[in-house]
């Protein structure tokens, strides 16, 4: 697997491709506790600055944890396509109507009583460190490449991995 660190716009584009493509992240909060609190979250958007947005309940354990310590970890995993992403960052909880309307969709009615639900919040994760693994050809092709490598003794390129360096100004 080759290493390719990406910076700024390329890093944001890769982050967006992976996070929105995989869509479900495991959000870890209370990182100083063992075990940390984990919960699956549906990615709403990776914005132009590389920040990741989710909707959440104000009463949730993870929102309460963010209020205490806003350090979070996001883990995205698509083993079928051999695409993975991990992000360490800072989370901010928003209650503003404009933000909530921007991200609320009909499917969110399963969790909330509409965009006016007083329990509805948005979470913005500002990435501080990110790392990705991406095999452009998918699992099947990589298994073939591994088999070829085992038979021939020649190494095969199984994809790329690297750090995503994003400079985000906090607002």
């Amino acid at each position: 697997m080759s290493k390719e660190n990406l910076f700024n716009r390329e890093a944001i584009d890769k982050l967006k491709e992976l996070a929105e493509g995989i869509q479900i992240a495991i959000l870890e909060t209370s990182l100083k506790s063992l075990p940390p609190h984990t919960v699956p979250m549906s990615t709403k958007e990776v914005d132009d600055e590389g920040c990741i947005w989710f909707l959440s309940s104000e009463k949730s354990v993870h929102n309460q944890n963010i209020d205490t310590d806003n350090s979070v970890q996001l883990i995205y995993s698509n083993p079928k396509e051999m695409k993975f992403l991990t992000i360490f960052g800072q989370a901010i909880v928003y209650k503003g109507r404009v933000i909530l309307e921007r991200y609320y969709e009909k499917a969110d009615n399963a969790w909330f009583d509409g965009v006016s639900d007083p329990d509805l919040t948005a979470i913005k994760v500002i990435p501080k460190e990110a790392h990705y693994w991406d095999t452009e050809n998918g699992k099947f092709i990589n298994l073939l490449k591994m088999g070829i490598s085992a038979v021939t003794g020649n190494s095969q390129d199984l994809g790329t991995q690297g750090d995503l360096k994003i400079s985000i100004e906090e607002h």
Side-chain angles (χ1 to χ4, degrees), residues 79-102:
K80 186 175 183 178
E81 294 186 23
M82 300 295 287
K83 294 177 182 278
F84 306 94
L85 174 65
T86 181
I87 301 159
F88 172 78
Q90 306 300 306
I92 301 170
V93 176
Y94 288 88
K95 292 273 302 174
R97 179 85 176 183
V98 172
I99 295 289
L100 298 178
E101 286 177 352
R102 178 176 179 177

Side-chain angles (χ1 to χ4, degrees), residues 70-82:
N70 73 342
S71 297
V72 298
Q73 181 88 24
L74 296 173
I75 301 170
Y76 289 88
S77 174
N78 182 341
K80 186 175 183 178
E81 294 186 23
M82 300 295 287

Side-chain angles (χ1 to χ4, degrees), residues 41 44 53-57 100 103-104 108 112 120-122:
M41 299 288 286
K44 290 297 183 175
W53 289 87
F54 305 92
L55 290 181
S56 182
S57 166
L100 298 178
Y103 294 114
Y104 199 88
D108 297 316
F112 301 101
L120 179 64
T121 66

Side-chain angles (χ1 to χ4, degrees), residues 8-160:
N8 299 323
R9 179 51 43 203
E10 284 183 323
I12 292 170
D13 291 346
K14 184 54 122 178
L15 182 81
K16 185 175 187 69
E17 170 196 329
L18 291 171
E20 290 182 355
I22 296 171
Q23 223 247 322
I24 301 297
I26 298 298
L27 170 66
E28 292 184 297
T29 59
S30 192
L31 299 181
K32 294 177 184 169
S33 299
L34 291 177
H37 180 266
T38 59
V39 62
M41 299 288 286
S42 180
T43 303
K44 290 297 183 175
E45 178 188 37
V46 176
D47 67 23
D48 290 339
E49 293 183 327
C51 297
I52 303 105
W53 289 87
F54 305 92
L55 290 181
S56 182
S57 166
E58 184 172 44
K59 297 176 189 144
S60 67
V61 171
H62 50 277
N63 273 44
Q64 293 169 18
N65 289 343
I66 290 167
D67 286 342
T68 302
D69 177 4
N70 73 342
S71 297
V72 298
Q73 181 88 24
L74 296 173
I75 301 170
Y76 289 88
S77 174
N78 182 341
K80 186 175 183 178
E81 294 186 23
M82 300 295 287
K83 294 177 182 278
F84 306 94
L85 174 65
T86 181
I87 301 159
F88 172 78
Q90 306 300 306
I92 301 170
V93 176
Y94 288 88
K95 292 273 302 174
R97 179 85 176 183
V98 172
I99 295 289
L100 298 178
E101 286 177 352
R102 178 176 179 177
Y103 294 114
Y104 199 88
E105 300 170 342
K106 193 172 191 171
D108 297 316
N109 288 335
W111 303 100
F112 301 101
D113 292 328
V115 73
S116 298
D117 188 327
D119 192 39
L120 179 64
T121 66
I123 297 174
K124 174 184 178 180
V125 174
I126 303 165
K128 299 297 181 189
E129 295 180 27
H131 193 85
Y132 75 99
W133 299 262
D134 187 1
T135 57
E136 293 83 10
N137 299 316
K139 185 176 184 178
F140 181 71
I141 298 297
N142 277 341
L143 287 173
L144 287 174
K145 286 182 174 184
M146 285 188 279
I148 291 168
S149 181
V151 170
T152 65
N154 298 328
S155 65
Q156 298 286 314
D157 185 6
L158 299 178
T160 57

